[in-house]
Amino acid sequence: MHLNTTRTTRTLSAAVLAGLLAVGSIGAMGTGAFAVGEGPNPGNGSTQSSILHTYESMVAELKAQAAKQPAMELEVIGQTVKGRDIHLVKYISNPDNPTILYLTQQHGNEQLTTEGALAFIRSLGTASTKGILDRVNILVVPMLNADGAMGDVDFPLTDYVADGGRHLTRYNAVGTDLNRDHVAKAQPETRALHENVLSKYPIQYMIDLHHQGTQSEIDGKLVSGSILYPTSPSVDPAVVERSKQLGSVVYGAISSKGWGNLGKYVGGSEDRIGRNGAAAQYGISTLLFEMRGMSDHYIDSYALGQKSNGYLIQQTVLTLTSTARAVGDGSVATADTSFWDTLPEQTSRPGEEADE
């Protein structure tokens, strides 16, 4: 049931906020500005969809980067319910290299991971990531649920709380949760992902990037995100172990930052969920990463205050960069997984629900 809620009224300058979406701006700002407790709480800024990439501006950005970066190839893998092309970004320098897939925005209202993925793609054309592409093949599916991201859906969005001219919804155009469709594959977005990416390329690792609500915590402190390996009994234990190693790389990279505070996500064991389905069906070692807060929601407390944009985009870029390096240089295979034994499971403050 959708809840009518009071919108937050404090709005930051769009011009200032847009600067947070640039890699250089994120890196130049002190981490203190991105303290986990600031952004998502009421009164710390309304959610402005106008500063996020639209589907059209994302496609324009991808095409511009493909024209600038010789190593980058852009492929259309299918179409959404409403006919929008679904894009796959490919960096395949050597077919014998290990391959990692980054998947964003299965849920259309979880867009900062896509903003981070675009920043990561831009960085792959610069000296800051020199050498990565020599040793690892990288695939990125940004904005799988483009219809939901654009609010172009066949159900009402009257209770959604974002300002800025468009709403973003978890579901695709016909109201299906794409992250519950990895067995049935009933939706064109999910079929495109499975038929033209997961079963087509020799993928060893995948990170499935999502957002959750704003009030998840461990040890009384709000988290910047949470992680989880595949938990389906159908998954080979060796695949699970490699997934835990991938999580170790992410945990080490994020927890070393002053604003990074990760918990263990409490998720389901069904194969129809992406992290479980890809692991069970293809032997891909997968990691779920749930960033804090959402770009829009019909529950006001789930939507993200603008002050959090910077650290969450930075968290995404760091996650993608650190794992690409670790897969490429082989260090992921020696990553210590013992931290999982003591990583606290996140809990939620009153009124909060998990949203894998």
Side-chain angles (χ1 to χ4, degrees), residues 92 127 153 302:
I92 303 177
V153 296
Y302 278 34

Side-chain angles (χ1 to χ4, degrees), residues 238-280:
V239 172
V240 174
E241 180 62 20
R242 289 192 294 270
S243 301
K244 290 182 175 182
Q245 290 173 325
L246 191 65
S248 177
V249 173
V250 172
Y251 182 80
I254 300 300
S255 62
S256 65
K257 303 299 180 183
W259 41 261
N261 185 34
L262 299 185
K264 184 178 181 181
Y265 191 78
V266 181
S269 60
E270 300 170 286
D271 285 355
R272 64 178 184 151
I273 297 171
R275 67 179 161 84
N276 292 326

Side-chain angles (χ1 to χ4, degrees), residues 75 77 88 90 92 99 139 196-204 284:
E75 176 183 339
I77 60 171
L88 172 67
K90 301 192 295 185
I92 303 177
T99 300
L139 305 176
N196 297 320
V197 183
L198 294 175
S199 64
K200 179 179 177 180
Y201 294 94
I203 301 165
Q204 284 80 43
I284 297 171

Side-chain angles (χ1 to χ4, degrees), residues 20-355:
L20 294 177
L21 302 182
V23 175
S25 298
I26 295 168
M29 293 184 178
T31 57
F34 305 127
V36 170
E38 287 188 4
N41 298 321
N44 283 324
S46 65
T47 299
Q48 285 291 321
S49 60
S50 60
I51 71 165
L52 303 173
H53 277 83
T54 63
Y55 169 77
E56 291 79 12
S57 68
M58 180 201 70
V59 173
E61 172 80 6
L62 293 177
K63 289 181 177 179
Q65 290 300 316
K68 289 170 56 176
Q69 299 188 39
M72 176 181 164
E73 183 181 351
L74 196 58
E75 176 183 339
V76 173
I77 60 171
Q79 285 75 39
T80 65
V81 170
K82 298 286 188 175
R84 291 179 172 89
D85 286 342
I86 303 169
H87 292 86
L88 172 67
V89 176
K90 301 192 295 185
Y91 295 90
I92 303 177
S93 58
N94 182 346
D96 293 330
N97 284 342
T99 300
I100 186 167
L101 167 66
Y102 301 113
L103 174 61
T104 79
Q105 229 167 335
Q106 287 198 69
H107 298 140
N109 63 341
E110 301 176 1
Q111 188 160 333
L112 293 185
T113 57
T114 296
E115 301 294 343
L118 291 173
F120 173 67
I121 289 166
R122 289 194 294 271
S123 77
L124 290 174
T126 70
S128 66
T129 56
K130 184 178 180 181
I132 287 182
L133 297 177
D134 295 336
R135 296 185 289 184
V136 63
N137 297 324
I138 295 173
L139 305 176
V140 185
V141 178
M143 200 178 282
L144 181 70
N145 183 4
D147 295 343
M150 293 304 296
D152 185 10
V153 296
D154 298 335
F155 51 90
L157 299 177
T158 52
D159 293 337
Y160 279 66
V161 301
D163 295 319
R166 91 176 196 265
H167 287 299
L168 305 88
T169 175
R170 175 183 179 91
Y171 306 104
N172 78 341
V174 294
T176 296
D177 185 334
L178 297 182
N179 202 32
R180 299 296 183 274
D181 190 40
H182 291 280
V183 172
K185 306 178 184 71
Q187 298 303 308
E189 297 92 343
T190 323
R191 286 197 299 273
L193 177 67
H194 280 263
E195 293 174 3
N196 297 320
V197 183
L198 294 175
S199 64
K200 179 179 177 180
Y201 294 94
I203 301 165
Q204 284 80 43
Y205 296 95
M206 180 183 92
I207 297 184
D208 187 11
L209 294 147
H210 287 263
H211 285 274
Q212 58 185 345
T214 62
Q215 299 299 305
S216 297
E217 63 182 6
I218 55 171
D219 299 328
K221 296 180 180 179
L222 295 171
V223 299
S224 61
S226 60
I227 55 177
L228 187 64
Y229 46 83
T231 54
S232 164
S234 304
V235 179
D236 187 307
V239 172
V240 174
E241 180 62 20
R242 289 192 294 270
S243 301
K244 290 182 175 182
Q245 290 173 325
L246 191 65
S248 177
V249 173
V250 172
Y251 182 80
I254 300 300
S255 62
S256 65
K257 303 299 180 183
W259 41 261
N261 185 34
L262 299 185
K264 184 178 181 181
Y265 191 78
V266 181
S269 60
E270 300 170 286
D271 285 355
R272 64 178 184 151
I273 297 171
R275 67 179 161 84
N276 292 326
Q281 295 173 53
Y282 309 104
I284 297 171
S285 295
T286 64
L287 184 74
L288 170 71
F289 198 143
E290 294 269 351
M291 306 286 176
R292 186 181 181 209
M294 300 177 190
S295 300
D296 199 3
H297 206 281
Y298 57 83
I299 300 175
D300 187 66
S301 64
Y302 278 34
L304 195 68
Q306 299 299 132
K307 285 185 178 180
S308 293
N309 283 15
Y311 84 79
L312 291 172
I313 294 170
Q314 186 178 14
Q315 184 169 251
T316 303
V317 174
L318 184 58
T319 295
L320 273 55
T321 304
S322 63
T323 52
R325 288 191 186 279
V327 172
D329 65 21
S331 59
V332 66
T334 59
D336 182 5
T337 62
S338 63
F339 83 98
W340 286 105
D341 298 331
T342 56
L343 182 66
E345 290 186 343
Q346 70 177 28
T347 57
S348 295
R349 294 181 180 179
E352 184 73 359
E353 297 177 6
D355 271 295

